[in-house]
């Protein structure tokens, strides 16, 4: 089953939030306004452009899917034995067909290595855009590409990733960042990245 067919199945089975993505005659409608800032933005090399201040090389990302897993053993006593490394699932991205979509296809067919792909989550606070999450992937290769009506779906592989989360106090002031980073080649996390935020763990 293709990625786009999977999404149609999710919608029909009420697995997705209907206020965000709506199935209409086999297509999708994503409510938005001209003045609103997208919640999710994505940067792939220098492929995309936008008029959003400070995010001129990003484009709107409708949704994405990521994940990691640790292979388990049938024998619970041997769960951590052997070379059972952490596996990173190839992220899946859904976005509108826009300028840069053809370059994504070129990267796929040409096997181009992309230094990093960044996905950011924004919140509109105090009349300003605040970054509340930043996902960064390094040494990426586009692995799949599909188009369904005006939407495109693509996935990519990567060797390292980091997840930074903004932390706010009760007054809504940003205190710093809590972070996690993992190198899948070395099967090792970067503990220093999380400590850089100097945020006390609860």
């Amino acid at each position: 089953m293709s990625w786009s067919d999977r999404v149609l199945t999710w919608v029909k089975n009420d697995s997705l939030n209907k206020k965000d993505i709506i199935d209409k005659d086999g297509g999708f409608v994503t409510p938005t306004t001209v003045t609103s800032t997208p919640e999710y933005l994505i940067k792939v090399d220098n492929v995309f452009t936008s008029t959003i201040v400070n995010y001129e090389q990003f484009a709107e990302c409708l949704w994405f899917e990521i994940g990691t897993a640790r292979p388990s053993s049938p024998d619970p006593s041997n769960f951590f034995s052997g070379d059972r490394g952490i596996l990173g699932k190839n992220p899946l991205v859904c976005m509108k067909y826009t300028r840069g979509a053809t370059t994504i296809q070129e990267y796929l067919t040409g096997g181009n290595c992309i230094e990093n792909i960044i996905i950011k989550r924004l919140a509109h606070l105090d009349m300003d855009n605040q970054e509340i999450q930043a996902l960064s992937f390094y040494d990426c290769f586009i692995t799949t590409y599909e188009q369904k009506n005006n939407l495109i779906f693509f996935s990519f592989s990567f060797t390292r990733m980091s997840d930074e989360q903004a932390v706010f106090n009760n007054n809504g002031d940003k205190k710093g960042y809590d972070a996690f980073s993992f190198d899948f080649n070395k099967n090792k996390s970067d503990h220093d990245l999380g400590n850089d935020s100097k945020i006390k763990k609860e």
Side-chain angles (χ1 to χ4, degrees):
M1 180 181 292
S2 68
W3 290 120
S4 51
D5 289 336
R6 275 182 61 194
V7 172
L8 287 172
T9 301
W10 292 339
V11 171
K12 291 174 182 177
N13 292 338
D14 295 327
S15 299
L16 291 176
N17 191 334
K18 286 188 176 180
K19 74 175 183 180
D20 294 327
I21 299 181
I22 301 171
D23 184 11
K24 183 179 181 182
D25 299 326
F28 294 84
V29 176
T30 302
T32 185
T33 61
V34 175
T35 59
S36 65
T37 300
E39 181 178 4
Y40 298 104
L41 294 171
I42 183 169
K43 179 180 184 295
V44 179
D45 203 4
N46 298 317
V47 171
F48 303 125
T49 61
S50 77
T51 58
I52 303 174
V53 178
N54 298 325
Y55 300 98
E56 288 80 4
Q57 292 185 328
F58 286 76
E60 180 180 7
C61 176
L62 299 180
W63 57 261
F64 62 93
E65 178 182 288
I66 63 173
T68 53
R70 179 190 290 275
S72 60
S73 168
D75 181 1
S77 64
N78 293 326
F79 184 85
F80 292 107
S81 66
D83 184 19
R84 295 188 176 277
I86 301 297
L87 301 179
K89 177 181 180 179
N90 285 1
L92 172 64
V93 173
C94 174
M95 60 186 298
K96 294 179 180 178
Y97 184 92
T98 184
R99 182 176 180 180
T102 54
T103 305
I104 296 294
Q105 297 177 69
E106 289 178 0
Y107 282 8
L108 169 62
T109 57
N112 301 62
C113 180
I114 303 168
E115 184 177 351
N116 60 54
I117 293 177
I118 302 171
I119 300 175
K120 294 194 174 186
R121 183 181 178 188
L122 305 181
H124 197 64
L125 304 172
D126 296 329
M127 305 299 292
D128 192 18
N129 292 323
Q130 295 281 356
E131 293 182 13
I132 58 178
Q133 184 183 18
L135 289 160
S136 299
F137 304 89
Y138 303 91
D139 304 324
C140 307
F141 288 89
I142 304 297
T143 54
T144 64
Y145 177 93
E146 292 186 44
Q147 181 174 353
K148 174 75 74 172
N149 299 333
N150 69 325
L151 297 184
I152 62 172
F153 305 80
F154 66 90
S155 59
F156 57 91
S157 63
F158 59 95
T159 60
R160 295 182 295 121
M161 64 85 64
S162 66
D163 185 354
E164 294 180 273
Q165 178 189 37
V167 178
F168 300 84
N169 60 23
N170 293 335
N171 296 324
D173 300 321
K174 186 182 293 185
K175 295 173 56 178
Y177 288 90
D178 202 359
F180 168 79
S181 179
F182 196 84
D183 188 321
F184 289 86
N185 282 339
K186 298 178 180 178
N187 194 37
K188 181 180 179 181
S189 61
D190 184 356
H191 297 289
D192 290 337
L193 181 63
N195 293 335
D196 284 345
S197 62
K198 302 295 188 299
I199 296 173
K200 183 180 179 180
K201 303 292 184 182
E202 299 296 335

